[in-house]
Amino acid sequence: IGKPAEYLVPHVGRCFQNALRYHSRLFNYQTSERVTVFLEDFGDYGNAGAAAIPNNYIRLGIAPLNYVFETAPANERINHTMNHEMVHIVANDKPAGNDKLFRKIFFGKPYIAKDDPISMFYSYFTNPRRYSPRWYHEGIAVFLETWMAGGIGRAMGGYDEMVFRTMVRDHAYIYDVVGLESEGTTIDFQIGVNSYLYGTRFMSYLAYWYGPQKLIEWVSRSYHKQKYFAAGFRAVYGKSLDEAWSKWIEWEHQFQKANLDSIGSYPTTPYRRLTRKALGSVSRSFYDKVNHKIYSAILYPGNTAHLAAIDIACGSIKKLCEVRGAGLYYVTSLAYDPNSNLLFYATDNTGWRDLNVYNLATGKSRMLMKDAHIGDLAFNRSDQSIWGIRHYNGISTIVRIGSPYKQWNQIYSWPYGKDMYAIDVSPEGKYLTGALAEVSGRQLLIRMSIDSLLKGDGSYKILFDFENSNPSNFTFSEDGKYLFGSSYYSGVSNIFRYELEKDDMVALSNCETGFFRPLAVSEDSLVVFRYTGDGFVPVMIPNRLVERVGAIRFLGNEIAIKYPVVKSWIADSPGKINIDSSITRQGDYRPVQSLGLSSAYPVLEGYKDFISAGVRLNFLDPLGVVEMNLKGSYSPNLNVPQNERAHFKASLRYWNWKMTAAYNRADFYDLFGPTKTSRKGYSVELQYNRALIYEKPKSLDIEFKIAGFGNLERLPEFQNVRVSFDKFYALRANLEYSYLKKTLGAVDYEEGLDWRLSSINNYVNRKIFPRFFVNLGYGFLLPVKHSSIWLRTSSGYSFGNQDEPFANFYFGGFGNNWIDYQETKRYREYYSFPGVEIDDIGGTNYAKLQVEWELPPIRFRRFGTTGIYLRWARFAFFSTAIRTNIDRKSSVDPARLFGFQRSLLDTGGQIDFRFILFSHLKTTFSLGLARAFEESRKPLNEFMISIKIL
């Protein structure tokens, strides 16, 4: 964080120490190492993450949270977030059984190194609970954060209750313990959030039926030593995790049926569905009364996020333009100018938001301001200005953007601890309304005078106190007399209407699931978005009062009644912590001086088909800025020459720089398959990488490498090509652009463009051999969901002599090893040509074209156990054509191929099966078959089998 945000550091320190003390008592936890807390402001909405491998580390985004649909609590965010993340540290780091012994043996907690996959076992032995599913970690963290805040949190949240109530109402499938992670977190519109939802619910169920103390016993491992989380469950609860999960689902149906009966004790609000399909996540929406259309931003599985025009008469949905960098649930901030037919929206919603405009008349969009940090947009029709909330340095600021919308003006900044969101401007431009979240979790619907705001007066009138409930998207009616919005004030998200003149709030619905984002389309009708398991659906409801609203029971509240002990789990105030007495040093962080040994362990490698055994040392600073790895091994086999038996590799990374040195380089994966990267000789390489553009999904990266090699037998890049001179230098440069996209639920990129321009210059025996090549790929979606066509081209030219190995390009083979860690679809690489041997095709210039058809993945709802399960299978067809030495004649003699023009064609396919090991390790089993054709030669076949274990 920068200097302006340093005011937060003491508060963060107090929150951290408060959470650490709390969890140390609850879990009987004593940390043996420091916990590094890294504050950042890389996104306009707050987020955080925690890790316990190789060091205990918390990354904390200081921006205000997004409270959309009440998916996040509104109490003080740093304290709430620290309470949550410290659960992850304790649940991951706390040792039991022989964990401590292994940590001593390996000098720490090894992280998984892809180039030494045996490290996965060392990592598991030292920190086994890291390899538990995400629902396990997020479930216990959300459960505890709620009670630490006195019941404010998602374990007592209306959104969570709504999700499971809707599943029961609609007879939807509730995932089992395996299916949740294999399918539920990948194809559902809520994707990874399902881990939070299911995890919190299951943990709450366990606490309700067996008591909260038993839940803590399972997670803390205080009275059992089982490493694997499922084995620990059986040890504590006396039954399998599968059995308990099934019983929870049965109980959930009974619990939610009772809630549905309670809601139905009063007449439920009738509705008329406007679209046949659910829209997934939705933004704030606007009604065009001239064209009878609703303008909204939507995001649902099988499509990218986009602005859409919804015809309320026929339900048709027209895609207007894509929204890059969409946010989950809210998609984007959206504002509408009906007079100019303009839609204003934000992109990069998970980073630093940009302000954009879409012209409904011309169908074109353009960026207005980059990295504006502004959202919660509202349009003031009286002066054509845009109002919004800017998040920066942890502060919420009301800003105004006047036409032509090129700069913003700061109007009023709220003090830390108060966050304003979901704002709107009255039709005559007199008032600004919105929701105000206070540090206690209290949420208010407020009104501010725009004239007063422009004079620097931030006073406001409280229209309604929603206590701990979210006043969601209250917007003005066309005449300015009413505000329509939604809230879980009654336990269920219903529509409310506030009449400004009478200062009166009334309920307009009694809904079984949940109504959100109301739009007044006439005096007697509202368009609202109804929650379903597939996302939000626009429906029409009457604009009239309801007499009574049905109440529901909250599982969290039932826990508190049955086990009052959770009421005593409220954490002390962080304000009681004397942070000054805890400070041991202040000053700049120096990563090099902080470098230390993080782990050490034995390794196995391959060198020329022989086994080599050795040791690896890993050094890391707490923030991961500097990393150094040292590895040495020895090949005892007598078939290896004496001067090649010792192997050494060292690497040092500092920010964007990386230096690597190797002597008789060995590689683990050389033991398993045709591709060999081990090399005789020595090498030293200096590499620099930098992102010129990083605006996901768009990126532009530049890379430079300078290297020196000696005593080589084979080219570093091409294993089957002998060198003409064993000592040389290389200078390489790459410029790579990528704008690749995937729809929600995709397993790989499905459309977009990427290109790469590369220069490889070898200096050999006082001669320079320059080579250049360019790759270009373009993909587009087919009408079938998750199916696409890709066109990939590559061409290169070398200025050297065709008889010189350093002057040629070489191609051939799938390139996958039987056990591998690189990309599974290696046939996409420019040097690959399945069907022929590796490096079988060569030339000083070439042109290559590949067509690929990606079929939709087959999902597996339940195939395996918690320890290993199959997530999906996917098949792809490809065909590649290549011509080398284009400027020369072709050879008519199959025995004389080198130096002549060659033209080849192959066709093949590959099927990939994605397995998950130990809940986190993505493992892909691949089978490939290709047939290559060349004039005057017999067709050649290649079969590929590979397991990518990391």
Side-chain angles (χ1 to χ4, degrees):
I1 59 173
K3 291 286 185 181
E6 285 186 357
Y7 72 95
L8 278 173
V9 173
H11 178 54
V12 172
R14 284 188 287 267
C15 291
F16 164 75
Q17 290 215 23
N18 195 55
L20 177 60
R21 293 179 183 181
Y22 180 95
H23 293 306
S24 295
R25 293 191 301 268
L26 184 65
F27 287 97
N28 190 25
Y29 169 75
Q30 296 296 324
T31 181
S32 59
E33 61 178 277
R34 293 180 177 179
V35 180
T36 300
V37 180
F38 174 64
L39 304 185
E40 49 91 352
D41 199 17
F42 298 151
D44 288 338
Y45 286 114
N47 58 78
I53 298 177
N55 306 307
N56 293 335
Y57 172 85
I58 294 175
R59 177 191 54 80
L60 182 64
I62 65 172
L65 301 179
N66 193 319
Y67 310 110
V68 60
F69 303 137
E70 205 169 296
T71 52
N75 51 319
E76 201 285 301
R77 61 181 183 274
I78 299 295
N79 187 44
H80 141 259
T81 303
M82 196 61 74
N83 290 343
H84 178 102
E85 299 304 328
M86 278 304 300
V87 179
H88 293 323
I89 296 295
V90 176
N92 277 285
D93 183 58
K94 185 182 178 184
N98 55 14
D99 296 0
K100 287 185 177 180
L101 174 62
F102 281 115
R103 292 180 187 183
K104 290 180 180 179
I105 292 174
F106 301 127
F107 294 90
K109 297 173 291 183
Y111 60 86
I112 296 178
K114 289 187 176 182
D115 53 338
D116 284 303
I118 198 171
S119 59
M120 74 172 74
F121 300 106
Y122 309 143
S123 184
Y124 178 79
F125 292 150
T126 58
N127 207 355
R129 285 300 168 92
R130 167 65 180 85
Y131 301 96
S132 305
R134 193 178 183 194
W135 66 259
Y136 168 88
H137 291 293
E138 300 301 348
I140 188 62
V142 171
F143 179 82
L144 285 176
E145 84 182 26
T146 301
W147 301 115
M148 292 174 73
I152 300 176
R154 287 166 287 184
M156 284 276 284
Y159 187 89
D160 290 45
E161 288 289 349
M162 177 183 69
V163 168
F164 291 98
R165 185 173 66 251
T166 301
M167 288 183 185
V168 173
R169 179 198 180 279
D170 297 342
H171 305 287
Y173 180 75
I174 300 179
Y175 285 102
D176 61 31
V177 67
V178 174
L180 169 62
E181 296 296 331
S182 66
E183 184 185 65
T185 57
T186 55
I187 69 168
D188 191 276
F189 89 99
Q190 300 184 95
I191 50 174
V193 174
N194 270 330
S195 295
Y196 289 79
L197 293 167
Y198 277 77
T200 303
R201 198 69 182 178
F202 181 63
M203 296 288 190
S204 297
Y205 162 80
L206 293 176
Y208 178 72
W209 272 104
Y210 304 102
Q213 295 291 359
K214 213 171 188 65
L215 179 63
I216 300 302
E217 181 183 337
W218 174 38
V219 176
S220 68
R221 301 173 67 199
S222 296
Y223 304 101
H224 67 90
K225 309 303 180 185
Q226 280 76 6
K227 292 182 179 294
Y228 193 51
F229 80 102
F233 185 89
R234 181 179 287 277
V236 172
Y237 289 98
K239 61 183 65 178
S240 70
L241 184 60
D242 260 329
E243 182 184 353
W245 195 282
S246 297
K247 288 189 176 295
W248 159 59
I249 293 175
E250 292 178 11
W251 175 88
E252 191 69 56
H253 278 84
Q254 299 171 3
F255 184 81
Q256 296 301 352
K257 283 178 181 177
N259 275 338
L260 290 167
D261 291 341
S262 178
I263 295 171
S265 61
Y266 303 103
T268 57
T269 301
Y271 60 86
R272 177 170 60 87
R273 189 165 177 154
L274 299 181
T275 61
R276 283 193 289 180
K277 67 178 179 182
L279 306 182
S281 298
V282 296
S283 71
R284 177 183 174 181
S285 302
F286 299 89
Y287 179 59
D288 181 350
K289 61 184 180 182
V290 176
N291 297 302
H292 305 291
K293 295 182 185 296
I294 297 171
Y295 300 124
S296 183
I298 59 179
L299 173 60
Y300 54 87
N303 214 320
T304 54
H306 56 275
L307 300 185
I310 304 168
D311 192 311
I312 65 171
C314 64
S316 64
I317 303 173
K318 179 183 178 182
K319 184 175 182 178
L320 301 178
C321 74
E322 192 170 297
V323 177
R324 179 173 52 83
L328 185 63
Y329 293 129
Y330 64 97
V331 189
T332 185
S333 296
L334 192 65
Y336 176 48
D337 176 3
N339 295 327
S340 301
N341 255 355
L342 299 177
L343 287 170
F344 300 92
Y345 65 101
T347 52
D348 283 344
N349 290 275
T350 56
W352 293 344
R353 291 166 292 185
D354 307 325
L355 180 63
N356 303 261
V357 63
Y358 176 81
N359 192 314
L360 288 160
T362 64
K364 295 182 179 180
S365 61
R366 60 189 174 92
M367 183 183 294
L368 298 172
M369 286 192 288
K370 183 174 177 56
D371 294 341
H373 300 273
I374 299 171
D376 289 285
L377 305 176
F379 190 76
N380 187 346
R381 283 180 280 179
S382 67
D383 62 358
Q384 286 73 54
S385 63
I386 301 171
W387 290 68
I389 303 296
R390 187 172 193 264
H391 292 166
Y392 193 63
N393 288 326
I395 297 296
S396 293
T397 298
I398 302 173
V399 299
R400 178 184 180 275
I401 310 168
S403 182
Y405 315 113
K406 294 297 183 182
Q407 64 180 14
W408 55 270
N409 294 313
Q410 177 180 354
I411 302 300
Y412 179 76
S413 292
W414 295 96
Y416 176 82
K418 288 191 174 183
D419 301 323
M420 192 177 187
Y421 62 98
I423 66 172
D424 197 27
V425 177
S426 59
E428 79 286 353
K430 187 176 180 180
Y431 295 112
L432 179 78
T433 60
L436 182 65
E438 296 187 333
V439 68
S440 63
R442 180 188 182 208
Q443 300 194 69
L444 310 170
L445 179 64
I446 66 170
R447 185 181 70 186
M448 308 177 79
S449 165
I450 285 183
D451 285 341
S452 298
L453 277 170
L454 293 173
K455 297 174 183 177
D457 181 3
S459 59
Y460 57 87
K461 176 184 178 182
I462 299 175
L463 302 181
F464 197 82
D465 185 345
F466 281 87
E467 299 174 356
N468 293 325
S469 296
N470 184 322
S472 178
N473 286 104
F474 274 82
T475 57
F476 283 95
S477 60
E478 186 69 23
D479 56 14
K481 294 181 180 180
Y482 303 98
L483 287 168
F484 293 95
S486 66
S487 178
Y488 295 95
Y489 192 63
S490 62
V492 178
S493 182
N494 279 301
I495 303 302
F496 291 84
R497 185 183 69 198
Y498 178 82
E499 187 172 355
L500 283 94
E501 185 175 333
K502 295 182 179 179
D503 192 20
D504 184 36
M505 182 77 74
V506 295
L508 301 182
S509 71
N510 181 35
C511 179
E512 290 182 306
T513 61
F515 288 151
F516 300 88
R517 301 195 186 280
L519 278 172
V521 297
S522 66
E523 289 188 4
D524 61 358
S525 299
L526 298 174
V527 170
V528 301
F529 288 83
R530 176 179 173 269
Y531 176 82
T532 72
D534 295 323
F536 296 90
V537 177
V539 299
M540 191 85 74
I541 67 170
N543 180 12
R544 64 168 180 257
L545 278 63
V546 294
E547 293 185 7
R548 300 290 297 271
V549 175
I552 64 167
R553 293 162 57 211
F554 282 77
L555 175 54
N557 191 55
E558 299 298 311
I559 294 171
I561 294 173
K562 190 175 182 180
Y563 300 99
V565 65
V566 297
K567 298 178 182 179
S568 67
W569 283 7
I570 300 175
D572 288 337
S573 170
K576 296 180 180 180
I577 302 292
N578 183 2
I579 193 64
D580 295 329
S581 63
S582 303
I583 297 174
T584 58
R585 188 180 70 85
Q586 288 181 287
D588 295 336
Y589 179 73
R590 305 185 186 280
V592 176
Q593 287 87 330
S594 304
L595 189 68
L597 179 67
S598 64
S599 61
Y601 47 80
V603 295
L604 291 176
E605 298 184 290
Y607 182 77
K608 293 185 176 181
D609 296 323
F610 300 103
I611 293 179
S612 175
V615 66
R616 172 171 175 151
L617 305 178
N618 300 310
F619 300 84
L620 195 68
D621 78 293
L623 289 183
V625 174
V626 184
E627 180 181 7
M628 183 171 67
N629 302 311
L630 303 176
K631 183 164 57 172
S633 63
Y634 185 79
S635 298
N637 196 294
L638 297 179
N639 291 317
V640 180
Q642 184 68 40
N643 65 341
E644 297 181 42
R645 294 181 185 176
H647 315 285
F648 178 77
K649 182 182 177 183
S651 65
L652 175 64
R653 177 184 57 81
Y654 180 76
W655 291 111
N656 302 92
W657 294 90
K658 184 177 182 180
M659 176 176 283
T660 306
Y663 175 74
N664 292 335
R665 177 189 175 114
D667 189 278
F668 172 84
Y669 298 96
D670 281 17
L671 296 170
F672 309 95
T675 300
K676 307 293 183 183
T677 59
S678 58
R679 294 291 189 273
K680 174 191 174 183
Y682 60 86
S683 64
V684 178
E685 181 181 281
L686 180 64
Q687 176 181 331
Y688 176 78
N689 296 279
R690 183 181 178 185
L692 303 178
I693 298 175
Y694 187 77
E695 300 172 356
K696 290 299 183 183
K698 181 168 60 176
S699 66
L700 179 64
D701 300 311
I702 192 168
E703 177 188 74
F704 295 99
K705 291 183 181 179
I706 183 169
F709 302 87
N711 292 339
L712 287 185
E713 294 178 327
R714 309 273 177 168
L715 288 178
E717 300 168 282
F718 307 111
Q719 65 188 57
N720 295 328
V721 182
R722 287 189 170 274
V723 296
S724 57
F725 199 81
D726 70 348
K727 184 178 181 181
F728 71 97
Y729 303 94
L731 175 62
R732 305 174 186 182
N734 295 308
L735 184 65
E736 189 167 1
Y737 174 83
S738 175
Y739 189 37
L740 302 176
K741 297 171 287 184
K742 59 175 69 174
T743 60
L744 202 64
V747 300
D748 198 358
Y749 293 117
E750 298 175 316
E751 61 178 330
L753 172 73
D754 65 346
W755 55 260
R756 177 185 178 188
L757 178 63
S758 296
S759 171
I760 305 173
N761 304 278
N762 293 323
Y763 181 71
V764 186
N765 197 19
R766 300 183 180 179
K767 293 182 181 179
I768 298 178
F769 296 93
R771 285 185 289 146
F772 302 89
F773 69 89
V774 59
N775 298 336
L776 177 63
Y778 175 73
F780 57 91
L781 274 166
L782 297 175
V784 180
K785 185 186 294 186
H786 302 313
S787 181
S788 56
I789 297 290
W790 286 90
L791 304 175
R792 295 185 175 88
T793 64
S794 181
S795 60
Y797 188 85
S798 173
F799 295 91
N801 189 304
Q802 64 182 26
D803 297 325
E804 174 54 61
F806 288 98
N808 284 268
F809 299 92
Y810 298 92
F811 312 87
F814 272 96
N816 303 67
N817 276 340
W818 309 322
I819 296 180
D820 213 331
Y821 73 105
Q822 300 187 59
E823 289 298 322
T824 55
K825 295 191 178 299
R826 204 81 56 78
Y827 61 78
R828 296 172 175 174
E829 301 292 342
Y830 87 95
Y831 53 78
S832 174
F833 196 86
V836 304
E837 294 292 331
I838 293 175
D839 302 337
D840 182 65
I841 308 169
T844 56
N845 55 73
Y846 73 94
K848 183 181 177 186
L849 171 65
Q850 182 180 86
V851 180
E852 179 187 12
W853 176 25
E854 289 280 354
L855 275 68
I858 301 171
R859 300 280 185 177
F860 296 94
R861 178 167 288 178
R862 173 76 192 233
F863 195 104
T865 67
T866 56
I868 176 173
Y869 55 85
L870 180 61
R871 177 168 281 178
W872 50 257
R874 182 185 57 176
F875 196 88
F877 293 101
F878 63 86
S879 183
T880 314
I882 189 172
R883 176 168 289 180
T884 63
N885 295 325
I886 300 171
D887 54 347
R888 301 185 186 96
K889 295 181 179 180
S890 61
S891 172
V892 295
D893 183 359
R896 300 180 61 198
L897 296 175
F898 185 79
F900 290 90
Q901 183 185 109
R902 297 183 66 182
S903 299
L904 296 95
L905 174 71
D906 76 2
T907 183
Q910 181 172 318
I911 185 169
D912 300 319
F913 298 89
R914 171 61 58 81
F915 289 88
I916 305 297
L917 297 176
F918 296 116
S919 305
H920 288 278
L921 306 181
K922 296 178 181 178
T923 302
T924 307
F925 175 66
S926 301
L927 296 171
L929 181 65
R931 188 173 179 88
F933 305 89
E934 185 176 10
E935 188 177 359
S936 303
R937 300 188 76 185
K938 292 182 179 181
L940 299 174
N941 298 317
E942 182 184 6
F943 175 71
M944 181 272 293
I945 181 170
S946 176
I947 299 178
K948 180 184 176 182
I949 55 178
L950 293 174

